[in-house]
Amino acid sequence: MPNIQLIPVEEFQRVRGASVDRFAQLALVADMCRVNTLAAVKRAGSGHLGSSFSAMEIVTWLYYERMNTLHVGLESPQRDVYFSSKGHDVPGLYAVLYALGVLPEEKLLKLRRFGGLDGHPDVGIRGIEANSGSLGMGISKGRGIAWAKRHHGWGGHVYVMTGDGELQEGQIYESLQSTVQQGITALTVIVDHNKLQSDRPVSQIVDIGDLEMKFASFGWHVERCDGNDFHQFAAALESLAAVNDRPGILIADTIKGAGISFMEHPRALKDGNGLYRWHAGAPDDESFVAGHDELVTRINTGLEQAGLAALTLKPAPPPEGVAARVSLAGEPDSQVARVAAPKVSDEFVAAAYGEALVRAGQRRADLVVLDGDLSSDCRLRDFEHTFPERFIQNGIAEQDMVSMAGGLARHGLLPVVNTFANFLAARANEQIYNAASERTRIVFVCHYGGLIPAGPGKSHQSVRDISLFGAIPDCVILQPCNGAETQMALDWCVDEAPFCSMLRLIIGPSPRRIELPEHYVLQPGCGAVLHEGDDAVLFGYGPVMLHEALSAAEHLQRVGVRLKVVNLPWLNRIDVQWLADCVADRPVYVIEDHAPVGGLGDALLNALSASGLLNRPFHKLAVEGYPACGTPPEALQFHGLDGVSIAERIRAT
């Protein structure tokens, strides 16, 4: 890894205190914040640069020139409020808050680390006004804040940033009409209209059309400007402020990746053969150095023109635990993790799923795949290219996607619905229940299930999905442990599941290859012994937790404790006779990649109780409380779910 250098807060104070035109001054500040954003993301190993950079001028102007927040105090009820609904741009916001002295350097250097800064906004961090990351909620939250200010008689204006792809979420349009109906005026929505979603143009995913006409039709006052031009942005805000009888929307046309030439749209799109690669993830070493040098050179040129000395940079200490982080379940938004991922599909559940899906499409002409703008992360590209006529891109609109799948299923097709587990299980749960109640067959694939990766934070860590799907009658839930079992599980869902089914997948590479017994066959309700032992039995599922379970067994074996480790991929269906044979008279433990309520542990308890086998110690080791943000080892250790902690907990009981 190259040397990473920060621009210290003293340099921002020096530039801010200089006798320089304020527009030129803030152009320097914005680029300086870009340098620190780039450094923080590189050091973290993942993060979102493209949208952080497109929004940088907007956030810089709001905090330095527009809002009263720092003058009246971060805790004052009279303060102006800003937050980002999309949340991806939070590394840039962190950099601005650091430049203003709100966040200390040690926090900025712990982006996506335990005890540091979450990968998406979290109110536990000083200066952050709202949790976000699950899209579409921001205008509604902003309306609530503005309503509360009006109710209390407090001053202050509310500014909410949205992404343009985010405008595909249905809640956006509910909030637009409600804001006008409720007479909320102290609210300004700023659309970071950079024209790109995760890796493709918005117009190719779901075209959002004429935004000015659309917003005006809801009764909002609309302005438009170049969002990367301070002069235009400032003038547009002034125009909005002059209208006080309705809420305002500013469509800020921006450039994704603005500030680093090779990250900017449209060049980056051309370089990527139609795909934008800088939405998320840490840049490789060469790209980091090139981007850093480009920014610093431009800043120093501007400083020289202003009669100021060149930047003084401060070396950042090297990140800790990089090797451990990369080897444990890489993040969906991490270029580093993708490079480090195993090449063998049998070890990489996500890749195996993509290959199995193509094979299923080859043998079943009725199979249709639906995607919620996560085709790359969900490994759907091969199916999309192989069967474009049977691939449906729904954009960022999970509820709409699920209900469409219900219609497809009612008329002779087999839909396979894909997105991140948190966005599917929770956001579209009512639609899932409705579709399931029609007794049709739909395969719901919940990617990014569980605690790991933990860097993006709780908006992306799905530890409720098993319980949400488990409450749906006749819906069977499976989580495979390796590539071979992934193929079997998808085949079962596609060919044998009588009604709806849910396939739960981790999104990164497995920490180790989980070896199933020779001639293993997936049998409903049954699992497979991965490690023999007579003293206790530990049930687990999925490659991340089974890796930790096996590590615990290896630790215990050294001290004479023989732990039986069982992979049980059926998370809500258990063969009672198999279970009785498996547990014999041993104490039972279960390691959950889920909250303690509604997961495999509860299914085992129910099965043991129903069969009269609940005459033994039973212990659930689960994700207690809200999931921790950090590297995989940090998050697992915090929740007591790493191999060493599991071994200690078993010995203690």
Side-chain angles (χ1 to χ4, degrees):
M1 178 175 285
N3 293 328
I4 298 176
Q5 295 180 304
L6 282 181
I7 300 176
V9 69
E10 295 80 12
E11 286 291 88
F12 288 92
Q13 294 168 348
R14 175 171 73 94
V15 171
R16 189 62 172 158
S19 298
V20 181
D21 171 78
R22 66 171 182 163
F23 291 104
Q25 186 183 77
L26 288 183
L28 289 169
V29 169
D31 272 346
M32 291 164 70
C33 288
R34 283 187 172 95
V35 171
N36 285 349
T37 303
L38 181 66
V41 168
K42 178 62 174 174
R43 194 175 186 278
S46 64
H48 296 85
L49 289 173
S51 53
S52 289
F53 285 1
S54 66
M56 188 62 76
E57 279 75 20
I58 296 169
V59 178
T60 301
W61 185 268
L62 287 175
Y63 276 92
Y64 274 90
E65 293 289 332
R66 188 73 186 180
M67 299 196 304
N68 68 3
T69 310
L70 298 182
H71 299 294
V72 302
L74 291 170
E75 287 75 39
S76 170
Q78 306 294 335
R79 73 187 183 278
D80 293 327
V81 169
Y82 165 80
F83 66 91
S84 171
S85 179
K86 60 179 179 173
H88 290 143
D89 51 337
V90 77
L93 174 57
Y94 291 150
V96 172
L97 293 175
Y98 164 74
L100 291 165
V102 175
L103 292 177
E105 183 178 294
E106 57 268 24
K107 282 283 189 180
L108 187 65
L109 292 174
K110 292 186 73 177
L111 175 64
R112 295 186 168 224
R113 294 300 182 94
F114 185 75
L117 302 176
D118 286 38
H120 288 82
D122 188 278
V123 295
I125 297 165
R126 182 169 165 78
I128 299 299
E129 297 278 4
N131 289 3
S132 56
S134 183
L135 298 178
M137 302 180 187
I139 302 176
S140 302
K141 280 192 178 184
R143 185 177 81 247
I145 295 170
W147 195 99
K149 283 180 172 290
R150 184 178 67 183
H151 176 75
H152 290 302
W154 296 339
H157 197 84
V158 182
Y159 298 89
V160 178
M161 173 88 75
T162 74
D164 45 10
E166 183 179 11
L167 300 180
Q168 295 158 0
E169 286 284 13
Q171 185 176 344
I172 292 286
Y173 301 95
E174 296 175 12
S175 64
L176 289 175
Q177 59 191 5
S178 298
T179 302
V180 173
Q181 179 68 28
Q182 294 169 11
I184 302 297
T185 58
L187 174 63
T188 297
V189 173
I190 302 168
V191 180
D192 180 13
H193 195 17
N194 60 37
K195 319 296 189 300
L196 292 173
Q197 293 191 207
S198 58
D199 59 10
R200 283 186 170 174
V202 176
S203 60
Q204 291 183 12
I205 304 298
V206 175
D207 194 340
I208 52 180
D210 186 336
L211 290 181
E212 292 176 81
M213 182 177 69
K214 187 175 292 186
F215 293 145
S217 73
F218 282 91
W220 291 61
H221 178 70
V222 184
E223 295 283 341
R224 192 164 195 157
C225 72
D226 181 341
N228 296 126
D229 184 301
F230 282 122
H231 293 84
Q232 288 195 34
F233 183 68
L237 284 180
E238 291 300 325
S239 296
L240 284 168
V243 177
N244 56 22
D245 63 341
R246 50 193 157 146
I249 290 184
L250 174 52
I251 303 167
D253 291 298
T254 60
I255 297 174
K256 194 155 186 173
I260 295 180
S261 57
F262 58 84
M263 292 186 183
E264 293 182 348
H265 170 52
R267 172 182 164 179
L269 206 60
K270 182 179 179 181
D271 291 345
N273 295 317
L275 297 178
Y276 184 80
R277 63 172 294 209
W278 304 110
H279 169 71
D284 58 83
D285 292 351
E286 183 180 353
S287 299
F288 169 77
V289 171
H292 187 273
D293 289 351
E294 181 179 334
L295 287 168
V296 170
T297 297
R298 186 166 65 245
I299 293 165
N300 282 334
T301 299
L303 291 172
E304 182 180 6
Q305 291 171 349
L308 300 174
L311 284 175
T312 298
L313 299 173
K314 180 178 181 180
E320 300 174 1
V322 171
R325 172 173 45 78
V326 171
S327 66
L328 277 168
E331 301 183 14
D333 47 6
S334 172
Q335 298 285 348
V336 175
R338 286 175 177 171
V339 170
K343 300 297 184 182
V344 181
S345 295
D346 191 46
E347 299 175 17
F348 197 0
V349 165
Y353 168 73
E355 296 168 4
L357 193 60
V358 171
R359 287 193 286 270
Q362 290 169 340
R363 71 173 186 274
R364 293 198 61 136
D366 61 340
L367 191 144
V368 179
V369 171
L370 293 83
D371 172 46
D373 186 37
L374 289 167
S375 185
S376 292
D377 286 318
C378 296
R379 300 305 192 272
L380 308 178
R381 287 277 187 242
D382 285 348
F383 188 97
E384 178 183 0
H385 294 152
T386 306
F387 305 106
E389 74 285 358
R390 287 193 275 143
F391 178 84
I392 303 172
Q393 178 55 259
N394 292 267
I396 306 170
E398 296 84 2
Q399 296 172 339
D400 175 70
M401 174 170 62
V402 169
S403 293
M404 180 184 184
L408 294 170
R410 284 279 296 154
H411 286 265
L413 294 172
L414 176 60
V416 181
V417 179
N418 298 266
T419 189
F420 287 177
N422 247 11
F423 308 154
L424 183 57
R427 169 154 287 185
N429 195 255
E430 184 177 2
Q431 288 75 17
I432 292 167
Y433 181 85
N434 178 276
S437 71
E438 294 175 341
R439 313 292 282 175
T440 55
R441 300 184 65 242
I442 302 173
V443 182
F444 296 102
V445 187
C446 288
H447 302 259
Y448 202 150
L451 176 66
I452 304 300
K458 63 179 67 68
S459 66
H460 285 56
Q461 293 164 284
S462 188
V463 294
R464 299 173 295 141
D465 51 297
I466 301 173
S467 60
L468 288 167
F469 270 92
I472 297 172
D474 299 321
C475 180
V476 179
I477 306 169
L478 288 119
Q479 179 160 356
C481 70
N482 64 15
E485 195 171 47
T486 300
Q487 171 78 66
M488 298 177 201
L490 179 64
D491 287 350
W492 187 90
C493 291
V494 167
D495 298 325
E496 299 183 47
F499 301 110
C500 288
S501 58
M502 190 267 258
L503 184 59
R504 190 178 198 249
L505 304 176
I506 70 163
I507 203 161
S510 172
R512 71 165 84 186
R513 180 189 173 116
I514 305 298
E515 297 285 354
L516 289 166
E518 190 176 3
H519 307 306
Y520 170 77
V521 176
L522 192 70
Q523 293 183 334
C526 301
V529 177
L530 306 181
H531 187 279
E532 292 287 358
D534 298 324
D535 294 325
V537 57
L538 174 59
F539 291 93
Y541 52 91
V544 172
M545 292 306 174
L546 286 173
H547 165 73
E548 302 303 334
L550 291 168
S551 296
E554 292 156 3
H555 282 290
L556 289 169
Q557 191 166 314
R558 298 187 194 111
V559 294
V561 178
R562 296 167 299 173
L563 179 67
K564 183 177 185 178
V565 177
V566 179
N567 165 45
L568 184 51
W570 304 88
L571 303 188
N572 67 338
R573 293 292 187 274
I574 297 171
D575 184 303
V576 174
Q577 184 56 57
W578 170 85
L579 179 63
D581 295 341
C582 185
V583 300
D585 59 353
R586 304 175 184 88
V588 175
Y589 296 81
V590 57
I591 179 172
E592 291 275 15
D593 199 4
H594 191 266
V597 176
L600 175 61
D602 282 359
L604 283 167
L605 272 174
N606 291 338
L608 290 168
S609 177
S611 57
L613 296 171
L614 198 57
N615 55 348
R616 69 201 67 243
F618 185 95
H619 305 273
K620 284 192 284 186
L621 312 178
V623 181
E624 302 281 352
Y626 290 103
C629 174
T631 65
E634 289 171 337
L636 288 163
Q637 185 174 26
F638 174 80
H639 289 287
L641 297 175
D642 62 294
V644 173
S645 297
I646 293 167
E648 291 173 350
R649 293 170 75 176
I650 290 175
R651 288 192 71 189
T653 56

